[in-house]
Amino acid sequence: MGQYRMERLNGQLRDEISTLILRGDVKDPRVSTYLSINRVEVASDLAYAKVYVSSFLSDSKLETGVDGLNSAAGYIQCQIAKKLRIRKFPKLTFIVDSGMKQGFNMVRKLTELENESKAMEEEKSSEEPKDE
């Protein structure tokens, strides 16, 4: 399958899985609607697909949500296979992706450092005697 078609399939799978989670079609109580599908990577032979899941929930809730998605993978595959017309539907494996939360924390830390730097500069400028 061509590279463009693989990217399009990855996007379609991401959208369909997100829609199933958001609508609450996955009945597993561990699966929260606050889970977000970051990306999907389908193998070139269409046998397997890795689905990266993230959330701003606590790490333990994210891991239990991913466990719930892995146990409901058969149902999710069946629902999406009815909508998509591909010759072979990949086996879905859900994986915790903590990159979004780490990026958010990094931006927060950089903002704090910038604010501290500005406060130190203002403090320094107010201490200097002014020439009249």
Side-chain angles (χ1 to χ4, degrees):
M1 198 180 261
Q3 184 64 29
Y4 176 72
R5 289 181 66 196
M6 289 299 289
E7 288 176 14
R8 195 173 70 196
L9 177 61
N10 290 339
Q12 284 179 323
L13 287 175
R14 185 189 71 230
D15 293 343
E16 291 295 332
I17 295 169
S18 296
T19 302
L20 283 174
I21 293 171
L22 206 59
R23 283 193 315 221
D25 290 348
V26 181
K27 301 296 184 200
D28 194 312
R30 297 175 287 182
V31 177
S32 169
T33 56
Y34 294 110
L35 295 177
S36 140
I37 306 300
N38 285 353
R39 70 182 191 274
V40 177
E41 294 177 355
V42 179
S44 59
D45 63 351
L46 300 179
Y48 296 96
K50 293 180 184 178
V51 182
Y52 293 92
V53 182
S54 69
S55 177
F56 284 111
L57 297 172
S58 67
D59 291 338
S60 62
K61 287 185 179 179
L62 176 59
E63 289 179 15
T64 56
V66 168
D67 290 341
L69 286 171
N70 277 319
S71 67
Y75 171 77
I76 294 170
Q77 287 170 206
C78 180
Q79 293 301 311
I80 297 173
K82 291 176 184 176
K83 294 181 181 181
L84 299 181
R85 297 286 181 217
I86 54 177
R87 83 184 137 86
K88 183 177 180 184
F89 197 85
K91 181 182 182 312
L92 301 176
T93 305
F94 294 90
I95 300 170
V96 173
D97 185 12
S98 59
M100 188 168 79
K101 189 180 282 188
Q102 289 173 351
F104 180 75
N105 289 335
M106 183 65 70
V107 169
R108 193 185 78 235
K109 288 177 184 178
L110 288 172
T111 304
E112 289 173 3
L113 285 173
E114 184 179 359
N115 291 339
E116 287 177 15
S117 174
K118 285 180 183 178
M120 289 179 74
E121 286 177 11
E122 289 174 3
E123 184 179 304
K124 214 181 246 187
S125 65
S126 66
E127 289 178 359
E128 293 176 0
K130 295 183 181 179
D131 293 332
E132 292 183 30

